[in-house]
Amino acid sequence: MHNYVNLIVYTQKPKRAQKQTFKTQATITHNYNMNKDLKEKCGIIAIHGQTDEITQKAYILMNSLQHRGQEGTGIAFYSQGEFHRLVVRGLVKDLFSVEIQKIREATSLIGHIRYSTTGSDDISNLQPFVSKTIDGKTIALAHNGNVTNALEVRNSLMREGHTFFTTTDSEVVLHHIVKEYNKSLDIQHSVESAIRTFEGAFSIVLLFDDSVIAFRDRYGFRPLVFGKDGKTWFFASEDTALRSIDIFEYEEVLPGEVVFVSKEGMHRKRVVGEESFNHCIFELVYFAKPSSNVFNQSVYSFRYRCGEKLAEYDKGERFDGVIPVPDSGLIAGMGYSKKKGIPMIMGLIRSHFTGRSFIQPSQSMRDGVVKTKFFVPTDVVRGKKLVLIDDSIVRGTTMRRIVELLKKNGVREIHLRVASPPVKSPCYFGIDFPSTEELIANQKTISEIRRYLNVESIKYLKLNDMMELVEGNENFCNSCFSGKYRVKVKHLSKDIFETEK
């Protein structure tokens, strides 16, 4: 007798939910695979072991990672022997605003917060993705990263008869794991095969037959940590999420390692090992929460010291104050202000009801965010010569709008300082600037950027100076700044599977 599998998908508001119940195993794989996307740089969580207030803890974990994605979110979980999946286009609060009683009895759960780096933004792309195995078990997968050889593996699987319903690298990983499991009936072997087969960046959590499995690529591009509270294990992309539920002792899932958690307990295995890693420096520059420690580095301290270093470039220069772009430039602005000995002015007031502009999927949406995101206290900035500081400039359109807004409110001079080097090269490992045409520093000289942004001066943090602020900097990838890729990549695009003929 088969357990029913419930899929609840919210296409608009939670009250308009469409609920589908798949009663036969044969239809589950095809219906669940109607996801079209290949977009990572997201947040993932997992919980194993029944615990009090599991719904609240899942919500807190995922909400703590909301900064990593705002397009959609989803969970998959086991409750009373049945598997359930719930996704929504929107924020974590939208997902948990509906009545999801069965989570209260859940014994294992994985969650995903989605930010698009490749593929379309259709609701069918929302994770976790799910499939069935030959012996009737369910596998759900949530993924953060970009697999650089996904197209080759996908084509190989298609030649073997696999059918794909999405344009995502995540589905390719899931198909490979299911294929290997169907041959061996050994989930550990299947996951180890995936770690050895796939290239690029991936931090992944799996839900398998009421067990949780977590693993990372051999280079450790994307973060993933785990800790324990009583008999319950918790996994999250950033340690700040674990600390939000009072877990203060935790470890990394090591690069190339797989961690298995089941009723029998936890065991871990390093499948592959590298002499050096490729941790993403942009996690420290922009994506991670300032309260996090990523790759054993304090995000707060790193950004503060970047601001201090920028201030050293302006010896002898005199300014009336520093305006940080909230919230991305706030910590660097504090470091600059302290080092330079000039006041920090909150000349940009942020509306916290608007999302992060960088992670919006289209330029028109990014422009719309900027127009409703920042407000200027005119009397505070009028007639002043100010340093404007932000963590990075990618496309330049957001910064141009900010400068325009400040000058309309009477700022006399704007001297822009950027707490990272110019972003000149595509990222193939999970950050949404894969096209050189989108990168202002690739298309324009520093002088041209200054004129385009309409600022009186502009200075970027030098690459060598930035890397000297990172402990173990030989283990960090800075290819988006340097153009040097230590891991072999082939040119990818956001819609690689959608455009492939």
Side-chain angles (χ1 to χ4, degrees):
M1 180 176 180
H2 302 313
N3 291 330
Y4 289 1
V5 178
N6 299 317
L7 168 60
I8 306 175
V9 176
Y10 296 101
T11 55
Q12 296 180 6
K13 296 181 179 179
K15 292 182 180 179
R16 299 179 182 178
Q18 297 177 342
K19 182 176 181 179
Q20 302 174 359
T21 301
F22 298 100
K23 297 185 178 182
T24 62
Q25 294 178 341
T27 61
I28 289 173
T29 301
H30 296 292
N31 281 282
Y32 272 130
N33 284 336
M34 292 172 65
N35 308 297
K36 300 186 76 174
D37 127 320
L38 182 154
K39 36 181 84 184
E40 312 307 328
K41 188 61 191 67
C42 313
I44 57 177
I45 68 127
I47 302 173
H48 185 275
Q50 198 160 15
T51 180
D52 294 338
E53 301 177 332
I54 188 171
T55 305
Q56 181 184 19
K57 289 182 178 179
Y59 170 77
I60 293 173
L61 283 172
M62 296 179 71
N63 192 62
S64 299
L65 299 175
Q66 186 72 85
H67 59 286
R68 297 185 69 88
Q70 297 170 9
E71 287 186 38
T73 184
I75 57 173
F77 60 96
Y78 269 95
S79 179
Q80 297 181 336
E82 294 185 350
F83 176 84
H84 306 267
R85 175 181 182 264
L86 181 70
V87 300
V88 59
R89 179 185 289 164
L91 304 178
V92 172
K93 66 180 179 63
D94 300 316
L95 180 70
F96 284 86
S97 65
V98 296
E99 193 64 28
I100 41 180
Q101 296 282 349
K102 288 185 180 292
I103 293 185
R104 295 179 180 176
E105 287 78 41
T107 52
S108 54
L109 176 150
I110 65 172
H112 187 266
I113 301 96
R114 180 171 181 267
Y115 150 67
S116 164
T117 60
T118 48
S120 67
D121 63 352
D122 190 84
I123 190 170
S124 60
N125 296 324
L126 299 181
Q127 298 186 36
F129 295 157
V130 182
S131 186
K132 278 287 191 179
T133 63
I134 196 170
D135 57 353
K137 295 179 179 178
T138 305
I139 298 180
L141 176 147
H143 170 208
N144 172 207
N146 259 7
V147 175
T148 57
N149 65 334
L151 183 59
E152 295 95 312
V153 177
R154 182 177 185 262
N155 289 340
S156 176
L157 288 168
M158 290 182 71
R159 285 191 289 270
E160 295 177 12
H162 290 253
T163 301
F164 288 82
F165 295 89
T166 84
T167 51
T168 87
D169 54 352
S170 305
E171 187 192 14
V172 178
V173 177
L174 181 60
H175 268 256
H176 177 85
I177 291 173
V178 172
K179 169 196 166 184
E180 292 300 314
Y181 180 85
N182 287 342
K183 292 191 299 184
S184 65
L185 299 183
D186 184 337
I187 189 62
Q188 179 166 330
H189 161 80
S190 306
V191 172
E192 290 180 12
S193 174
I195 295 174
R196 293 188 178 97
T197 298
F198 289 102
E199 300 170 1
F202 52 89
S203 288
I204 293 176
V205 288
L206 290 181
L207 190 60
F208 173 75
D209 199 28
D210 204 23
S211 300
V212 165
I213 305 166
F215 60 98
R216 291 172 74 193
D217 65 83
R218 66 182 66 206
Y219 297 105
F221 277 101
R222 301 287 153 219
L224 187 59
V225 294
F226 69 104
K228 189 179 183 183
D229 182 14
K231 295 182 179 180
T232 306
W233 293 91
F234 298 88
F235 296 77
S237 292
E238 296 180 31
D239 65 349
T240 195
L242 297 183
R243 284 185 276 113
S244 71
I245 57 170
D246 297 329
I247 296 177
F248 295 94
E249 294 184 6
Y250 41 83
E251 299 181 61
E252 273 194 305
V253 177
L254 298 175
E257 182 182 42
V258 56
V259 178
F260 295 85
V261 182
S262 66
K263 294 177 181 178
E264 285 70 42
M266 184 273 287
H267 74 276
R268 53 198 303 189
K269 179 181 178 181
R270 191 82 180 274
V271 179
V272 294
E274 298 293 328
E275 292 184 1
S276 63
F277 305 132
N278 275 280
H279 303 317
C280 174
I281 193 68
F282 214 71
E283 290 277 356
L284 294 174
V285 169
Y286 175 84
F287 260 104
K289 231 182 184 68
S291 54
S292 291
N293 295 282
V294 176
F295 313 127
N296 297 313
Q297 314 279 327
S298 166
V299 177
Y300 186 104
S301 296
F302 171 81
R303 294 178 186 174
Y304 191 93
R305 285 181 282 130
C306 286
E308 287 183 314
K309 179 60 68 173
L310 275 176
E312 294 179 8
Y313 298 172
D314 286 332
K315 291 179 180 178
E317 296 282 348
R318 302 183 69 176
F319 306 105
D320 297 319
V322 180
I323 295 181
V325 176
D327 291 326
S328 55
L330 182 59
I331 308 303
M334 292 171 62
Y336 185 101
S337 172
K338 179 69 172 179
K339 184 76 172 182
K340 187 68 174 166
I342 57 177
M344 189 165 72
I345 300 172
M346 299 309 294
L348 290 167
I349 307 301
R350 179 189 171 192
S351 168
H352 287 271
F353 298 97
T354 308
R356 302 179 85 180
S357 59
F358 174 75
I359 62 177
Q360 300 301 321
S362 68
Q363 184 58 54
S364 61
M365 292 177 68
R366 286 188 287 271
D367 289 341
V369 166
V370 173
K371 292 176 182 178
T372 59
K373 184 175 182 178
F374 298 116
F375 303 89
V376 179
T378 305
D379 293 344
V380 174
V381 302
R382 183 187 291 120
K384 293 183 177 179
K385 177 182 178 182
L386 298 172
V387 172
L388 178 64
I389 189 164
D390 204 1
D391 66 319
S392 60
I393 299 177
V394 178
R395 300 171 179 90
T397 50
T398 299
M399 183 56 68
R400 186 178 186 182
R401 169 62 179 161
I402 290 171
V403 171
E404 178 185 355
L405 182 64
L406 288 169
K407 290 202 169 182
K408 282 182 177 179
N409 280 271
V411 176
R412 178 166 55 90
E413 290 185 19
I414 296 177
H415 298 266
L416 181 60
R417 301 296 179 259
V418 187
S420 64
V423 177
K424 292 185 176 181
S425 301
C427 174
Y428 300 105
F429 309 110
I431 296 178
D432 186 16
F433 39 85
S435 168
T436 54
E437 288 74 20
E438 292 182 279
L439 305 178
I440 188 171
N442 184 279
Q443 299 296 306
K444 299 179 185 294
T445 65
I446 300 298
S447 178
E448 289 171 337
I449 294 173
R450 184 195 65 76
R451 290 195 295 271
Y452 172 80
L453 298 177
N454 192 28
V455 294
E456 276 60 47
S457 71
I458 181 172
K459 294 179 183 179
Y460 287 87
L461 185 63
K462 297 175 184 178
L463 179 60
N464 288 341
D465 287 343
M466 181 185 72
M467 297 309 297
E468 286 180 0
L469 300 177
V470 182
E471 184 179 349
N473 55 39
E474 69 277 3
N475 288 316
F476 279 79
C477 174
N478 59 27
S479 56
C480 57
F481 302 121
S482 67
K484 298 177 181 179
Y485 301 91
R486 292 189 291 173
V487 176
K488 182 180 179 181
V489 296
K490 293 187 177 180
H491 293 291
L492 301 178
S493 65
K494 184 172 183 175
D495 56 354
I496 184 171
F497 293 157
E498 295 172 346
T499 58
E500 197 225 2
K501 302 299 183 182

